[in-house]
Amino acid sequence: MTSDTHLQRRNKEEVAYYDTLDHNMTTVLKSSPYEDVFGTNASCILGRAETIGPYYVEGELIRSNVTEDQVGIPMHLEMQFIDVNTCKPVPALFIDLWGANATGGYSGAEVPTGYFGLPVGGLNSTFLRGIQITDEHGVVSFDQIIPGHYYPRATHTHLVAWGNATTYANGTIAGGLAADDTFIRYIGQLYYEQKLRDAVDPIFPYNTNADTANIKNVDDYILAENATINGNTVGDLGEYDPFVKYIYLTNDLADGVFAWHTIGIDMNGNFNDGFVAAAKYEEDGGRALNEWGAGTVTPFKAVMPPKGTTTTVTTTATSA
């Protein structure tokens, strides 16, 4: 057995193990004070770093509600960031969050010509993207929807943690590595247990998603297969559980969930080399920075045909 094969097998086993744990705390947690959600002893487990993916956009807005006009199951998400060197919360981190809408489409990039694929909003769209700053408990919160899936990924949410970012009066931060003392302390992705995903799928508009493959968590090529992305090999999960915990807000999942997650980061780490942006959101709108932002790369199979239109294409590129 090769080393790579061993790593892939081990990581799939880890994902399968964590995915069998019950992350639905609805019958356990009846209220959500800070101590109940994150516990009095914060986790000191290093969160696994992962690829930034092709659709990061610089210069997004500092805001907690990123839903805009997107229809889906409401999700209030809280995340706590802990320095694994001190086991203490990290305040004043800028947490940049983005993800797909209910049917797998991203904002912030151009749609490839004649093709309805992953980017659906165009360069000037900003839905499901935003930035928040951690408080004294290392916590940020976002109001959004549960994301949808797209081929060939399991459902996920992207995160970047910026240290020492520059803020502007118009509610944005300096995009990218604008200053020599700006450091990315973490790049990663959040995941959602299979039981929750299976419960979400029949609910509108998730049930209109054209991605019929609907990749399972244990088959995701980043989460479970230790794939090499942009030259970086995703490591084993180890003690890190990548799935968010959550509670139903009512007896009906369609009414929404409250979700939370703790991520240990190394405040001495530097992920600047893993930074790449598809586009930049500026005062006069979005501007493409590479072929992904410009829509000249054809991603995998279309996952959000507008108004029920379906399109078949030949696929050539990988999306994360």
Side-chain angles (χ1 to χ4, degrees):
M1 178 182 294
T2 67
S3 177
D4 286 347
T5 302
H6 173 70
L7 286 172
Q8 290 176 8
R9 178 179 176 182
R10 175 177 173 180
N11 210 53
K12 288 176 74 72
E13 291 171 351
E14 289 174 340
V15 171
Y17 166 73
Y18 286 120
D19 210 5
T20 59
L21 300 181
D22 191 359
H23 297 83
N24 186 347
M25 302 288 107
T26 302
T27 60
V28 177
L29 187 65
K30 296 299 183 182
S31 60
S32 56
Y34 163 78
E35 291 80 6
D36 288 346
V37 172
F38 295 110
T40 54
N41 294 316
S43 171
C44 244
I45 299 171
L46 184 66
R48 188 179 71 173
E50 295 183 352
T51 176
I52 198 170
Y55 288 118
Y56 175 72
V57 176
E58 297 181 24
E60 290 295 347
L61 299 172
I62 298 175
R63 57 179 182 171
S64 60
N65 191 331
V66 300
T67 307
E68 296 188 10
D69 60 352
Q70 295 303 300
V71 179
I73 298 171
M75 178 172 68
H76 180 79
L77 172 66
E78 295 194 358
M79 294 173 287
Q80 184 182 42
F81 291 82
I82 301 294
D83 185 350
V84 296
N85 299 296
T86 64
C87 289
K88 294 182 178 180
V90 183
L93 270 181
F94 289 73
I95 308 304
D96 210 332
L97 172 144
W98 70 103
N101 65 8
T103 47
Y106 281 101
S107 65
E110 288 292 355
V111 180
T113 302
Y115 172 80
F116 306 110
L118 293 171
V120 297
L123 285 167
N124 292 330
S125 60
T126 59
F127 62 80
L128 301 175
R129 295 179 182 271
I131 300 169
Q132 280 289 279
I133 306 169
T134 56
D135 63 15
E136 67 272 20
H137 300 298
V139 175
V140 293
S141 62
F142 290 92
D143 287 299
Q144 56 184 102
I145 62 171
I146 296 177
H149 55 82
Y150 59 85
Y151 186 79
R153 294 300 317 279
T155 305
H156 62 283
T157 297
H158 288 273
L159 301 169
V160 169
W162 294 94
N164 199 30
T166 301
T167 59
Y168 294 139
N170 65 354
T172 64
I173 67 171
L177 306 176
D180 291 339
D181 58 353
T182 299
F183 296 102
I184 301 175
R185 298 305 188 188
Y186 178 77
I187 299 174
Q189 299 179 27
L190 298 180
Y191 295 92
Y192 304 86
E193 68 173 9
Q194 197 64 49
K195 289 190 290 290
L196 176 60
R197 292 182 55 198
D198 292 344
V200 165
D201 281 344
I203 298 173
F204 179 84
Y206 301 89
N207 59 3
T208 67
N209 195 328
D211 171 29
T212 56
N214 197 358
I215 299 296
K216 303 296 184 184
N217 289 330
V218 294
D219 296 321
D220 183 270
Y221 76 100
I222 292 178
L223 173 61
E225 293 187 5
N226 249 319
T228 298
I229 307 297
N230 298 332
N232 298 315
T233 299
V234 174
D236 287 339
L237 288 169
E239 297 181 38
Y240 176 66
D241 184 344
F243 301 107
V244 302
K245 292 183 173 67
Y246 61 94
I247 60 173
Y248 285 21
L249 296 182
T250 71
N251 291 330
D252 187 351
L253 173 58
D255 290 334
V257 298
F258 169 59
W260 67 95
H261 197 64
T262 299
I263 300 174
I265 64 174
D266 182 357
M267 284 299 290
N268 296 320
N270 186 334
F271 287 81
N272 289 10
D273 289 344
F275 175 78
V276 60
K280 185 173 184 177
Y281 191 69
E282 300 175 321
E283 185 177 4
D284 57 350
R287 174 170 60 88
L289 298 178
N290 63 20
E291 65 272 22
W292 291 94
T296 56
V297 169
T298 300
F300 277 106
K301 180 182 178 182
V303 294
M304 188 184 177
K307 299 180 181 179
T309 303
T310 57
T311 303
T312 303
V313 298
T314 302
T315 62
T316 57
T318 299
S319 48

